[in-house]
Amino acid sequence: MNGKTLKVGGSQITDMHESTFFKLRCDPLILAANPQTAPIASVWRAFRHLDQTQWWSRAKLEQYQVERLQTLLTHCARHVPYYRELFAKNNFVVEQIRSLADYRRLPILTRSTYQDQFNSFVTEELPEATLLTDLRTTSGTSGLPIKVQQTNVVGAWWLAFYLRDLEWCGLDPREPVAGIRTLKLATPELEQKFKEGLRSPSWNSILTPLIEMGPSFGMDLKQDPQRQIEWLLQIQPTYLLSYPSNLDYLATLLRERGTHIPNLRRIQTFAETLDDSVRQNIEESFGVPVMNLYSCIEAGYLASPCPSGAGLHIHAENVILEVLDDHGLPCPTGQKGRVVLTTLRNFATPFLRYEILDDATLGDCSCGRGLPLLTRVDGKRRPNLWLPDGRRRTSVQLVEAFRPIEGIRQSQIIQKQVNHIEIRVATNSSWTEQREVEIRQAVTKFFEAPIQVEIGKYDYLPRSAGGKLLTVINELERKNPG
Ligand SMILES: [Zn+2]
């Protein structure tokens, strides 16, 4: 507590955040004194703590991670059947873990092991004052969904990192925000209302007693993108949050209409990879900067944009995020590797060295924060495509080859057989038969052979149940992985 006293919203605030980025509605000390509002005060305390830890040295942050890890590993050895057996089988003695290097002796946990043996990942007992809240499931675009048990502790820290992310991204919660996303809703009536666009009085109802917040608007990602544009023009939000693939499409529609969203200041993307070309398209068309959030259901907030530099700082107080090469060794700065996560606060369904199937690249930042930095996140790995002669090739080239073809708003590539490709395109009025010829030429060039090309035209492309749009699907890889 810095002891500053400020007058905000008619009440004396003694525990004001140094930057005063958030306008407090009530003194957190008053909230802490009431058992009903005490959990919100704990969110503020956690956020204030993060305000300090972000400036700690790398060594001090690692020491902090190791201390939390020791508590978590002790818990896992006692109460989580899967880890109890794993530790015994690998002669992994928790008391001997004194550094992250020691910890790396633990084998990597695959997504399929977690899915297949979910029940053995659920703790038999919870630490004192930890309560189960909801059971969340991932959208499962890459296979079966993943179940994650949430607790009150995970929830409080989730909100603290939410506040940090808002502050770093410069999103003032008093301004109106619009989110176009997927949501599980209780009734078909609510779902229909969500599709048409909903208004809530605040960004986050739980934080209402603590922070001054403006209205938030929400719309279903499955809504027709033309309708999404109409809605945005009507509500005129200051900030817009959505998936990169959706924003990419909206950007193209805006350009076609020759219009823009008045008053919009920033866009935040999440849930999918933000490619450079997609970012560029969105920024040019909307005319505002795009911030990218790296998060997942399994671990919550993973990394957010550095407020004063390029790249995303890892929320190291929440997660140990390793970037590993093909031999399982830590990648040096600048080298892309696979992401492996350890959640530091989930004692209900702990994730220890869990492979999330994303790729990322570590870098350096000169802003003074000790939190490690990611220069790139490559999201869910795009599958390779198989050439008729047996070679496999990264699909990025083909995705990029379609971009300059006029008349295409969105595209999706599906490999059905080694010699059979389906291309789905959402087209606009400048689409002609000549574009089909260009697509076929690009496909033939990529596969280095004449193969069967099926082209399907859509107004907009169908999304998976979880709302994500997979730009590339290899059906051969699903049947016969590896
Ligand atoms: Zn930085």
Side-chain angles (χ1 to χ4, degrees), residues 306-310 313 365-369 373:
C306 175
S308 47
H313 278 294
C365 190
S366 55
C367 71
R369 287 176 182 78
L373 186 93

Side-chain angles (χ1 to χ4, degrees), residues 50-65 100 164 168 306-308 312-317 319 362-374:
L50 296 177
D51 202 36
Q52 308 289 317
T53 53
Q54 65 180 321
W55 302 108
W56 285 1
S57 68
R58 186 68 52 86
K60 192 170 175 185
L61 280 163
E62 282 192 9
Q63 187 52 38
Y64 176 88
Q65 288 184 321
L100 296 180
R164 174 191 264 181
W168 284 6
C306 175
S308 47
L312 304 146
H313 278 294
I314 296 169
H315 300 297
E317 306 92 335
V319 66
L362 287 165
D364 295 311
C365 190
S366 55
C367 71
R369 287 176 182 78
L371 301 167
L373 186 93
L374 297 174

Side-chain angles (χ1 to χ4, degrees), residues 108 294 321-341 355-363 374-381:
I108 286 167
Y294 183 29
L321 191 155
E322 300 173 65
V323 179
L324 303 176
D325 67 14
D326 290 342
H327 307 287
L329 298 170
C331 285
T333 296
Q335 186 187 319
K336 182 160 111 171
R338 56 187 176 145
V339 175
V340 169
L341 303 174
E355 184 168 18
I356 186 94
L357 297 175
D358 291 340
D359 289 331
T361 310
L362 287 165
L374 297 174
T375 51
R376 276 192 71 89
V377 178
D378 291 292
K380 297 287 168 236
R381 286 186 199 164

